[in-house]
Amino acid sequence: MQVNVIDRPRFYAKYGKRLLDIFISSILLPIIVLFMLMIAISLLIVSGRPIFFTQERTGLNYSNFQIWKFRTMRIDQIQKSKVNDWEGGVPEQFVFKNSQDTRMTGIGKLLRKLSLDELPQIINVLKGEMSLVGPRPEVPEITAYYNLEQSKRLYMKPGITGLAQINGRSNIPHGRKINYDIDYVENCSFLLDIKILMRTIRVVFSREGAY
């Protein structure tokens, strides 16, 4: 009988993922740092300060942490997340952002299209707050409304990429993202993580669902 990772984490989910995160991050770190330096200089020249955007997100088992991203919005348009009034969980058809967002700067749109605004999250990975692969971290204003089923996506560290990100990203509603995330939590494995990382490269270059 297969043991559900939600009830009892497998060895890889508990230990192996962290080793993989450290190994891959250490190899890619020099390249990532170079890209981050180039992006930071470009943002400083074109968009000014602040270069980085930090925001509280919900991590493993509802523990909150500060996520790092490159700023893609105009300073006067950065707002706190809207407080919702949902009952019974986050609505299945809820969509957090769309392609018509007018708050972004010109360079911000480019960074989001190529997912380069996410590069600073390597800091969160190295600190152990995130993993390379896992459910994307959501804001507490949304996770506070999770029902029991939706909260299962928080049984594993959030990731820079995940099943939802290679299957539609921002093009799919909250309900489908939840299904992908729970599927990942229940079936997490080394081979699945490698598959997601490889497919992420293709999705990023195709810019599918990125905005």
Side-chain angles (χ1 to χ4, degrees):
M1 180 178 177
Q2 187 178 17
V3 179
N4 193 311
V5 70
I6 289 180
D7 299 322
R8 186 179 302 170
R10 299 188 187 100
F11 179 85
Y12 173 73
K14 193 172 183 180
Y15 303 106
K17 276 182 68 65
R18 183 59 182 157
L19 293 176
L20 182 66
D21 288 340
I22 294 173
F23 177 72
I24 294 181
S25 298
S26 298
I27 292 176
L28 296 179
L29 194 57
I31 301 174
I32 292 175
V33 169
L34 179 60
F35 268 104
M36 287 179 60
L37 181 60
M38 293 169 58
I39 293 171
I41 294 173
S42 299
L43 280 171
L44 185 60
I45 295 173
V46 177
S47 189
R49 297 181 179 180
I51 295 172
F52 295 102
F53 168 73
T54 61
Q55 185 182 48
E56 189 175 44
R57 296 290 179 95
T58 304
L60 176 67
N61 295 324
Y62 280 96
S63 60
N64 292 346
F65 68 99
Q66 293 291 319
I67 196 172
W68 285 76
K69 303 178 72 172
F70 282 118
R71 180 173 63 86
T72 57
M73 292 185 183
R74 299 193 302 274
I75 297 175
D76 62 335
Q77 292 297 315
I78 297 177
Q79 304 170 348
K80 284 191 174 183
S81 300
K82 179 182 177 182
V83 176
N84 300 286
D85 187 22
W86 295 319
E87 293 184 5
V90 181
E92 293 283 302
Q93 296 304 314
F94 171 72
V95 176
F96 185 71
K97 58 185 179 181
N98 59 67
S99 59
Q100 304 304 316
D101 194 335
T102 59
R103 298 172 297 170
M104 288 188 290
T105 62
I107 190 172
K109 291 180 181 179
L110 178 62
L111 292 178
R112 283 202 184 182
K113 281 288 184 182
L114 298 174
S115 297
L116 293 175
D117 61 314
E118 312 284 359
L119 284 181
Q121 286 162 42
I122 194 69
I123 298 171
N124 296 113
V125 173
L126 292 173
K127 289 174 64 178
E129 298 165 333
M130 291 179 62
S131 178
L132 292 174
V133 181
R136 283 296 297 164
E138 194 60 271
V139 294
E141 289 82 1
I142 291 178
T143 59
Y145 289 93
Y146 278 179
N147 56 34
L148 185 60
E149 181 69 12
Q150 293 170 343
S151 68
K152 290 179 180 179
R153 74 187 298 272
L154 302 177
Y155 291 1
M156 190 166 286
K157 285 182 183 179
I160 294 179
T161 186
L163 270 182
Q165 280 61 55
I166 63 171
N167 286 285
R169 303 172 81 180
S170 298
N171 284 335
I172 58 178
H174 187 268
R176 286 184 61 191
K177 288 182 180 179
I178 289 288
N179 291 337
Y180 279 125
D181 290 339
I182 294 176
D183 183 41
Y184 173 77
V185 171
E186 293 179 339
N187 297 285
C188 174
S189 70
F190 173 76
L191 291 179
L192 180 58
D193 276 4
I194 296 300
K195 177 182 177 181
I196 291 173
L197 287 171
M198 296 302 292
R199 284 192 60 186
T200 296
I201 297 174
R202 179 183 64 80
V203 170
V204 167
F205 280 103
S206 69
R207 295 179 288 182
E208 177 186 350
Y211 41 80

